Amino acid sequence: NTSDRQSADPGERRQVSVLFADMVNYTAITSELGEEKTLDFVRMIYDLLSKTVMKQGGTVRDFAGDGIMALFGVPDALENAALLACRAALSINESLADAGGDIEAQFGVRPNMRVGVSSGNVLVAAVSGTGSPATAVGSTVNLASRIEGPAGWHADLRQHAAACRLADRSAL
């Protein structure tokens, strides 16, 4: 029984970093694009976000509407997960800025993302059935989501730049 095996697996306690990224004004953008163009737009954005996260050693664990949840330190533990997550947070809007001309030419918009990062202890376990990928569970995940939610993207970039400098110093 799958639920018996899952309940018997307590998960692995691990230090990870969680990144949430959410597009600013997604509803307004997609209401102008229509469904077909929205699908192409979302695929382009998800591809850019995924490549940016993977370049920094993270794993995209969830796609939802206009955003992602990425983990640094899952499935494999990373000593510098916080630094890599901070670098990814900064790289996301840099990547969007670099691709902005192409995105605007194709869709008529220049998207921006709100990004939140939190690091701390979580339980790492598969939660949706045998063979499903491991994810992170705990207050660290919730905090990253809450940090992303209200952040304006300009203020958010300044906060992540400061956090990256601190994480970089601690990695020395």
Side-chain angles (χ1 to χ4, degrees):
N1 183 332
T2 301
S3 63
D4 291 339
R5 279 188 294 235
Q6 284 179 334
S7 63
D9 177 11
E12 176 187 345
R13 188 167 298 280
R14 190 183 299 171
Q15 178 83 16
V16 304
S17 292
V18 181
L19 178 150
F20 276 87
D22 183 71
M23 190 178 303
V24 177
N25 295 324
Y26 176 78
T27 302
I29 291 169
T30 58
S31 67
E32 294 292 321
L33 292 177
E35 290 81 14
E36 288 79 13
K37 276 190 123 177
T38 293
L39 179 59
D40 293 338
F41 177 71
V42 168
R43 284 179 173 158
M44 179 183 273
I45 298 301
Y46 279 169
D47 184 59
L48 185 142
L49 294 173
S50 296
K51 287 177 181 174
T52 302
V53 165
M54 288 188 300
K55 184 177 178 183
Q56 295 299 331
T59 303
V60 175
R61 212 26 108 218
D62 190 27
F63 296 96
D66 59 331
I68 62 166
M69 180 182 91
L71 302 174
F72 295 80
V74 176
D76 300 318
L78 297 170
E79 286 187 31
N80 58 347
L83 177 61
L84 295 172
C86 285
R87 287 179 177 165
L90 292 170
S91 295
I92 284 172
N93 278 307
E94 290 171 3
S95 296
L96 281 171
D98 290 346
D102 292 339
I103 295 170
E104 187 170 27
Q106 192 169 352
F107 301 102
V109 297
R110 283 187 178 255
N112 292 302
M113 303 295 286
R114 288 184 302 258
V115 183
V117 174
S118 180
S119 298
N121 288 318
V122 299
L123 285 177
V124 176
V127 296
S128 61
T130 304
S132 67
T135 193
V137 177
S139 61
T140 298
V141 178
N142 298 335
L143 181 58
S145 177
R146 287 189 179 105
I147 290 169
E148 173 271 314
W153 74 277
H154 291 291
D156 197 54
L157 288 176
R158 288 191 299 270
Q159 291 167 351
H160 287 301
C164 280
R165 286 192 296 276
L166 290 173
D168 204 17
R169 284 188 196 134
S170 69
L172 298 176

